[in-house]
Amino acid sequence: MRPVIAFWAGPNGIEGHVYCQPLRQVLIVPTQVLREFKLEPGDLRENIVIDGFDLHKLESGTVIQIGNVRIRLTFHCEPCGKITDRVSPRKITHKRGVLGSFLNSGVISVGDAVLVGGKSFDSIPYRIADRIKWYLDKQDKPVPVSKLVFDIGLPNSYCRAIPNLVKNRDDIRKELILYNGGARKKSINGSTAG
């Protein structure tokens, strides 16, 4: 990570950076969070630091504009091991920043105004099981667990955790989740489960 005066971004993410999942293309952090936890820009692995308002209070699905680039806010960034040497993950939950997706291409520069638009997209749940339900409710045919995990913004390591995350949720259509290249997972009672 290095500071820059400007960068090019678009629907595939930030130019020159590692390819990111569609719901996690950019991490935006308000300056007040850095001040609250006595952090320096970059300590939270954020891409953009903004002034002026608490981004965490905006609903998922809200569109903001920085310069001429529009960003759909997706969900709060989960604290992870990459920041534990700087701040307690427990203390910074729901304050680590907000993830987003770029809706158009353009340049974002230091000093660009941040404009808050309305809520233009449906909300994406923060809790993982709720996010799985949100995603599966939009599907009309089964999807591989690896695609589900990618599409909802989780690391591949979550593929093995999905069965446990959904097992006690009767409102999740488990039959839509394909494991191991298309095989359905056997449930405890022997019937097939998604």
Side-chain angles (χ1 to χ4, degrees):
M1 302 217 29
R2 60 184 174 82
V4 295
I5 295 172
F7 64 86
W8 180 267
N12 290 324
I14 297 172
E15 185 177 278
H17 285 196
V18 174
Y19 177 74
C20 295
Q21 295 159 311
L23 300 180
R24 304 180 77 92
Q25 292 178 336
V26 63
L27 175 57
I28 308 165
V29 173
T31 54
Q32 57 263 44
V33 169
L34 299 179
R35 283 194 297 270
E36 178 182 346
F37 293 99
K38 297 176 178 52
L39 299 169
E40 295 295 321
D43 284 350
L44 295 176
R45 317 261 321 142
E46 73 280 359
N47 305 107
I48 300 172
V49 177
I50 63 167
D51 283 321
F53 60 92
D54 186 358
L55 190 68
H56 296 97
K57 292 183 180 178
L58 297 177
E59 278 188 82
S60 170
T62 299
V63 174
I64 66 169
Q65 183 169 322
I66 303 176
N68 64 351
V69 179
R70 296 175 64 237
I71 301 168
R72 171 193 182 178
L73 301 181
T74 55
F75 42 85
H76 293 178
C77 188
E78 309 88 351
C80 67
K82 293 180 180 179
I83 63 167
T84 56
D85 62 329
R86 308 249 191 252
V87 64
S88 162
R90 184 180 52 79
K91 290 182 180 177
I92 203 162
T93 298
H94 294 295
K95 292 183 179 181
R96 186 193 174 178
V98 179
L99 292 160
S101 300
F102 295 109
L103 299 174
N104 66 314
S105 297
V107 175
I108 295 177
S109 302
V110 171
D112 281 345
V114 179
L115 306 172
V116 178
K119 185 174 177 212
S120 301
F121 295 90
D122 60 331
S123 294
I124 300 171
Y126 175 77
R127 289 188 54 228
I128 295 169
D130 294 337
R131 201 178 316 159
I132 293 167
K133 178 185 180 334
W134 167 83
Y135 178 81
L136 291 175
D137 284 350
K138 298 174 181 316
Q139 305 305 311
D140 58 0
K141 61 183 180 181
V143 295
V145 68
S146 57
K147 178 172 173 36
L148 177 144
V149 164
F150 179 83
D151 288 350
I152 66 171
L154 297 173
N156 280 340
S157 60
Y158 269 84
C159 288
R160 288 180 282 159
I162 296 298
N164 286 332
L165 289 168
V166 301
K167 71 179 178 185
N168 294 323
R169 294 284 302 262
D170 294 333
D171 59 335
I172 293 177
R173 300 181 322 166
K174 300 171 193 76
E175 71 277 4
L176 292 179
I177 306 171
L178 298 177
Y179 297 90
N180 299 326
R184 297 199 190 284
K185 185 157 182 80
K186 287 279 188 183
S187 70
I188 294 171
N189 65 10
S191 63
T192 57

Short mmCIF file of all heavy atoms in Angstrom, two decimals, residues 135-144 147-148 173-178 184:
data_model
loop_
_atom_site.label_atom_id
_atom_site.label_comp_id
_atom_site.label_asym_id
_atom_site.label_seq_id
_atom_site.Cartn_x
_atom_site.Cartn_y
_atom_site.Cartn_z
N TYR A 135 -28.48 -13.57 -1.23
CA TYR A 135 -27.96 -14.01 -2.52
C TYR A 135 -28.80 -15.14 -3.11
O TYR A 135 -29.19 -15.09 -4.28
CB TYR A 135 -26.50 -14.45 -2.36
CG TYR A 135 -25.87 -14.96 -3.62
CD1 TYR A 135 -25.38 -14.09 -4.58
CD2 TYR A 135 -25.77 -16.33 -3.86
CE1 TYR A 135 -24.79 -14.56 -5.75
CE2 TYR A 135 -25.18 -16.81 -5.02
CZ TYR A 135 -24.69 -15.92 -5.95
OH TYR A 135 -24.12 -16.39 -7.11
N LEU A 136 -29.08 -16.16 -2.32
CA LEU A 136 -29.82 -17.31 -2.83
C LEU A 136 -31.25 -16.96 -3.21
O LEU A 136 -31.82 -17.57 -4.12
CB LEU A 136 -29.79 -18.46 -1.83
CG LEU A 136 -28.43 -19.12 -1.63
CD1 LEU A 136 -28.49 -20.17 -0.52
CD2 LEU A 136 -27.90 -19.73 -2.93
N ASP A 137 -31.83 -15.99 -2.54
CA ASP A 137 -33.19 -15.55 -2.89
C ASP A 137 -33.25 -14.98 -4.30
O ASP A 137 -34.33 -14.91 -4.89
CB ASP A 137 -33.70 -14.51 -1.88
CG ASP A 137 -34.13 -15.13 -0.56
OD1 ASP A 137 -34.21 -16.37 -0.47
OD2 ASP A 137 -34.37 -14.35 0.39
N LYS A 138 -32.12 -14.59 -4.86
CA LYS A 138 -32.07 -14.04 -6.21
C LYS A 138 -31.74 -15.10 -7.28
O LYS A 138 -31.68 -14.78 -8.45
CB LYS A 138 -31.02 -12.92 -6.28
CG LYS A 138 -31.32 -11.75 -5.37
CD LYS A 138 -30.19 -10.76 -5.39
CE LYS A 138 -30.42 -9.59 -4.49
NZ LYS A 138 -31.71 -9.00 -4.53
N GLN A 139 -31.51 -16.34 -6.86
CA GLN A 139 -31.10 -17.39 -7.78
C GLN A 139 -32.30 -18.23 -8.21
O GLN A 139 -33.19 -18.48 -7.41
CB GLN A 139 -30.04 -18.29 -7.13
CG GLN A 139 -28.83 -17.56 -6.61
CD GLN A 139 -28.15 -16.71 -7.65
OE1 GLN A 139 -27.87 -17.16 -8.76
NE2 GLN A 139 -27.88 -15.46 -7.31
N ASP A 140 -32.26 -18.68 -9.46
CA ASP A 140 -33.32 -19.57 -9.93
C ASP A 140 -32.79 -20.98 -10.23
O ASP A 140 -33.55 -21.87 -10.61
CB ASP A 140 -34.02 -19.00 -11.16
CG ASP A 140 -33.07 -18.72 -12.32
OD1 ASP A 140 -31.86 -18.96 -12.17
OD2 ASP A 140 -33.55 -18.25 -13.36
N LYS A 141 -31.48 -21.18 -10.07
CA LYS A 141 -30.90 -22.52 -10.23
C LYS A 141 -29.71 -22.65 -9.28
O LYS A 141 -29.16 -21.64 -8.81
CB LYS A 141 -30.48 -22.76 -11.68
CG LYS A 141 -29.43 -21.80 -12.19
CD LYS A 141 -29.14 -22.07 -13.66
CE LYS A 141 -28.09 -21.09 -14.15
NZ LYS A 141 -27.76 -21.25 -15.54
N PRO A 142 -29.30 -23.88 -8.98
CA PRO A 142 -28.19 -24.09 -8.04
C PRO A 142 -26.89 -23.44 -8.51
O PRO A 142 -26.63 -23.33 -9.71
CB PRO A 142 -28.05 -25.61 -8.01
CG PRO A 142 -29.40 -26.12 -8.39
CD PRO A 142 -29.92 -25.14 -9.40
N VAL A 143 -26.09 -23.01 -7.53
CA VAL A 143 -24.80 -22.39 -7.81
C VAL A 143 -23.71 -23.11 -7.02
O VAL A 143 -23.95 -23.54 -5.89
CB VAL A 143 -24.78 -20.88 -7.46
CG1 VAL A 143 -25.72 -20.10 -8.33
CG2 VAL A 143 -25.10 -20.66 -6.00
N PRO A 144 -22.52 -23.25 -7.59
CA PRO A 144 -21.41 -23.83 -6.84
C PRO A 144 -21.08 -22.97 -5.61
O PRO A 144 -21.16 -21.74 -5.66
CB PRO A 144 -20.25 -23.82 -7.83
CG PRO A 144 -20.88 -23.71 -9.18
CD PRO A 144 -22.15 -22.92 -8.97
N LYS A 147 -18.72 -20.10 -6.18
CA LYS A 147 -19.31 -18.90 -6.81
C LYS A 147 -20.09 -18.10 -5.77
O LYS A 147 -20.00 -16.88 -5.72
CB LYS A 147 -20.21 -19.30 -7.98
CG LYS A 147 -20.89 -18.11 -8.65
CD LYS A 147 -21.60 -18.50 -9.91
CE LYS A 147 -22.43 -17.39 -10.53
NZ LYS A 147 -21.92 -16.04 -10.44
N LEU A 148 -20.87 -18.79 -4.95
CA LEU A 148 -21.63 -18.11 -3.90
C LEU A 148 -20.69 -17.29 -3.01
O LEU A 148 -20.91 -16.10 -2.77
CB LEU A 148 -22.40 -19.14 -3.06
CG LEU A 148 -23.20 -18.58 -1.89
CD1 LEU A 148 -24.48 -19.37 -1.72
CD2 LEU A 148 -22.40 -18.63 -0.61
N ARG A 173 -32.59 -21.41 1.24
CA ARG A 173 -32.82 -22.49 0.27
C ARG A 173 -31.50 -23.24 0.02
O ARG A 173 -30.81 -23.00 -0.96
CB ARG A 173 -33.40 -21.92 -1.02
CG ARG A 173 -34.73 -21.22 -0.79
CD ARG A 173 -35.36 -20.66 -2.04
NE ARG A 173 -34.38 -20.09 -2.95
CZ ARG A 173 -34.64 -19.78 -4.21
NH1 ARG A 173 -35.82 -19.97 -4.72
NH2 ARG A 173 -33.71 -19.25 -4.98
N LYS A 174 -31.20 -24.14 0.91
CA LYS A 174 -29.93 -24.88 0.89
C LYS A 174 -29.77 -25.73 -0.37
O LYS A 174 -28.65 -26.02 -0.79
CB LYS A 174 -29.81 -25.73 2.14
CG LYS A 174 -29.82 -24.93 3.43
CD LYS A 174 -29.92 -25.86 4.62
CE LYS A 174 -30.25 -25.14 5.89
NZ LYS A 174 -31.65 -24.74 6.00
N GLU A 175 -30.86 -26.14 -0.98
CA GLU A 175 -30.78 -26.97 -2.18
C GLU A 175 -30.15 -26.22 -3.36
O GLU A 175 -29.79 -26.83 -4.37
CB GLU A 175 -32.18 -27.49 -2.58
CG GLU A 175 -33.12 -26.45 -3.13
CD GLU A 175 -33.86 -25.62 -2.06
OE1 GLU A 175 -33.59 -25.81 -0.85
OE2 GLU A 175 -34.71 -24.79 -2.45
N LEU A 176 -29.99 -24.92 -3.23
CA LEU A 176 -29.38 -24.14 -4.30
C LEU A 176 -27.86 -24.06 -4.20
O LEU A 176 -27.20 -23.46 -5.05
CB LEU A 176 -29.96 -22.72 -4.32
CG LEU A 176 -31.43 -22.61 -4.73
CD1 LEU A 176 -31.89 -21.17 -4.67
CD2 LEU A 176 -31.64 -23.19 -6.12
N ILE A 177 -27.28 -24.66 -3.16
CA ILE A 177 -25.83 -24.63 -2.98
C ILE A 177 -25.24 -25.96 -3.42
O ILE A 177 -25.59 -27.01 -2.90
CB ILE A 177 -25.44 -24.36 -1.51
CG1 ILE A 177 -26.12 -23.11 -0.99
CG2 ILE A 177 -23.92 -24.24 -1.39
CD1 ILE A 177 -25.96 -22.89 0.52
N LEU A 178 -24.34 -25.91 -4.40
CA LEU A 178 -23.66 -27.11 -4.89
C LEU A 178 -22.27 -27.17 -4.27
O LEU A 178 -21.51 -26.21 -4.33
CB LEU A 178 -23.54 -27.07 -6.41
CG LEU A 178 -24.84 -27.05 -7.19
CD1 LEU A 178 -24.55 -26.94 -8.68
CD2 LEU A 178 -25.65 -28.30 -6.90
N ARG A 184 -24.36 -32.54 -4.00
CA ARG A 184 -25.11 -31.95 -2.90
C ARG A 184 -24.60 -32.55 -1.59
O ARG A 184 -24.27 -33.72 -1.52
CB ARG A 184 -26.60 -32.21 -3.06
CG ARG A 184 -27.16 -31.57 -4.31
CD ARG A 184 -28.67 -31.46 -4.18
NE ARG A 184 -29.30 -31.09 -5.42
CZ ARG A 184 -29.30 -29.88 -5.93
NH1 ARG A 184 -28.67 -28.91 -5.35
NH2 ARG A 184 -29.92 -29.63 -7.05
#
